[in-house]
Amino acid sequence: MKSDRLLSILLLLQTRGRVPAAELANRLEVSVRTIYRDIESLSAAGVPVYAERGRHGGIALLPGFRTDVTGLTTDEARALFVLAAEGAHHALGLDGALGSALRKVMAALPAPHRPAAELTSRRILVDPGRWLSGPRPAVDLDTLHTAVFADRRLRLRYRHGGETEPRTYTVDPYGLVCKAGTWYLVADRRRRGQLFRADRVVAATVLDTPVRRRDGVELADAWEALRQRVETRPAGLRVTARVLRSRLDLFVRIIGTALVAPPEDTGGTWVTVELAFQELRAVRQLLQFSTSLEVLEPPEARAELARAAASVTALYADVRQPDTGRTAAPVPSHPVDPGPDQVP
């Protein structure tokens, strides 16, 4: 609707300052001509909006003009109280600010919408943590947060996964991203995008040098490119296996990221699955499913599992308990299912 579009333009101009007409048109999915007609409508309604031509031109409001907008719809009011990243506010030290902001929004809402917003906050809860993920290491985001908002370069002492000694990098940060409860610093290193897990940053120093980002690249652009790079890495090994139907749900929950296609359900006791791994040794994680899973091919994957199983057998060949002398309890042949009371 045109009224919603006019309100969106007004809010964008209040928060962004001068915005090119082409950018407004792209964000609102209309033509540039429509944007200029909307600007005329705002001006006719008494909003002090103007357009400047030229390379650095755009559409802007007169300095100092602000308006309190309370024309929220019921769904918009409810959406504000569904907080999908509550943990993110806590990590950034913004829990108190969030509560204060929501109280102000509630006070500014039209009276008919307040009950719906309040009910949403009591009936909807989003927990970003994963089931049985275990304790997470403490993460100090203060320095990273400072560099991101001050537009300064960062010197990092960073420990990569699988390494014991940290390395030193000088990077140009775009911003911070919280994905599935894990914080990442998105930055350029030598003009190429790179991800750094915040919990692996040993030390960080904000430099006096201004950040040197690539022209036209925003945080969302850099993150999308890096996300695609991670999720579409070519698999070094394709594996065909079969899983007991009774353990299929548990298998998908634990190892689902390695699946290259939905399980092939042809009936019967076993279900065929196709998996992809970065390297041969990675297939060892399938041993956790014991006799509930059998790798069918390739032969080198079966051989790798046989070697790993033999190593475990050799390690536990003496089943006597070293302290008590009692015989150890047998290991169950199936992975432990947490059960309906723990995980839905």
Side-chain angles (χ1 to χ4, degrees):
M1 294 177 62
K2 181 176 180 179
S3 58
D4 290 337
R5 194 169 65 244
L6 294 178
L7 181 58
S8 297
I9 292 174
L10 180 58
L11 293 173
L12 283 169
L13 295 180
Q14 285 191 171
T15 56
R16 295 279 307 279
R18 183 180 290 105
V19 183
E23 181 178 339
L24 288 174
N26 182 59
R27 295 190 62 163
L28 299 176
E29 298 180 349
V30 296
S31 67
V32 173
R33 180 176 297 179
T34 298
I35 291 296
Y36 280 117
R37 284 201 297 264
D38 289 343
I39 295 305
E40 292 178 359
S41 298
L42 285 173
S43 180
V47 177
V49 60
Y50 66 97
E52 287 187 354
R53 298 185 179 276
R55 180 179 178 184
H56 300 291
I59 298 170
L61 298 168
L62 286 179
F65 176 80
R66 304 290 296 178
T67 183
D68 292 328
V69 180
T70 58
L72 296 172
T73 66
T74 301
D75 285 343
E76 289 169 344
R78 293 174 62 188
L80 290 174
F81 287 83
V82 179
L83 304 177
E86 206 169 55
H89 296 98
H90 175 74
L92 294 172
L94 296 176
D95 278 349
L98 174 64
S100 175
L102 289 179
R103 286 191 294 272
K104 292 178 180 178
V105 170
M106 181 68 79
L109 286 176
H113 300 333
R114 291 176 189 169
E118 183 179 359
L119 184 62
T120 297
S121 66
R122 292 165 50 200
R123 294 290 183 263
I124 303 296
L125 174 65
V126 180
D127 185 346
R130 294 183 176 182
W131 288 109
L132 306 177
S133 60
R136 293 180 178 272
V139 179
D140 184 4
L141 294 176
D142 288 347
T143 305
L144 305 183
H145 184 269
T146 298
V148 164
F149 281 91
D151 288 332
R152 291 292 184 268
R153 307 188 87 192
L154 267 171
R155 180 174 292 118
L156 300 178
R157 292 280 290 163
Y158 185 80
R159 183 187 60 78
H160 291 275
E163 298 184 3
T164 57
E165 295 297 323
R167 303 186 187 188
T168 301
Y169 300 115
T170 298
V171 300
D172 298 289
Y174 285 94
L176 295 166
V177 174
C178 183
K179 181 174 177 62
T182 300
W183 282 96
Y184 294 89
L185 173 71
V186 179
D188 274 354
R189 176 174 171 261
R190 298 177 179 175
R191 307 292 292 176
R192 187 173 185 269
Q194 190 165 336
L195 279 179
F196 298 91
R197 277 184 59 144
D199 57 7
R200 291 182 185 160
V201 175
V202 178
T205 304
V206 181
L207 304 180
D208 293 333
T209 312
V211 72
R212 304 170 186 172
R213 303 186 183 106
R214 285 167 285 160
D215 291 340
V217 179
E218 297 291 338
L219 172 61
D221 306 317
W223 168 254
E224 180 62 20
L226 291 167
R227 187 187 64 81
Q228 291 285 349
R229 189 190 305 172
V230 171
E231 295 181 355
T232 59
R233 285 182 299 184
L237 182 71
R238 295 290 288 268
V239 172
T240 302
R242 62 176 189 166
V243 185
L244 280 176
R245 180 182 303 280
S246 60
R247 295 288 163 171
L248 182 61
D249 288 344
L250 179 64
F251 170 81
V252 172
R253 191 159 68 227
I254 295 175
I255 207 76
T257 55
L259 287 170
V260 297
E264 181 183 337
D265 189 353
T266 57
T269 305
W270 296 88
V271 177
T272 302
V273 293
E274 296 290 334
L275 307 166
F277 297 97
Q278 296 298 315
E279 57 181 0
L280 180 60
R281 286 181 61 85
V283 301
R284 294 188 173 206
Q285 62 188 286
L286 298 178
L287 285 175
Q288 66 184 299
F289 299 100
S290 185
T291 56
S292 297
L293 177 145
E294 180 188 7
V295 169
L296 303 177
E297 57 183 26
E300 57 265 32
R302 292 177 61 91
E304 180 67 21
L305 289 175
R307 284 192 295 271
S311 298
V312 173
T313 300
L315 179 63
Y316 294 103
D318 182 5
V319 296
R320 306 293 294 180
Q321 294 286 4
D323 294 332
T324 65
R326 291 178 299 178
T327 302
V331 178
S333 60
H334 299 300
V336 177
D337 191 330
D341 290 337
Q342 281 98 358
V343 180

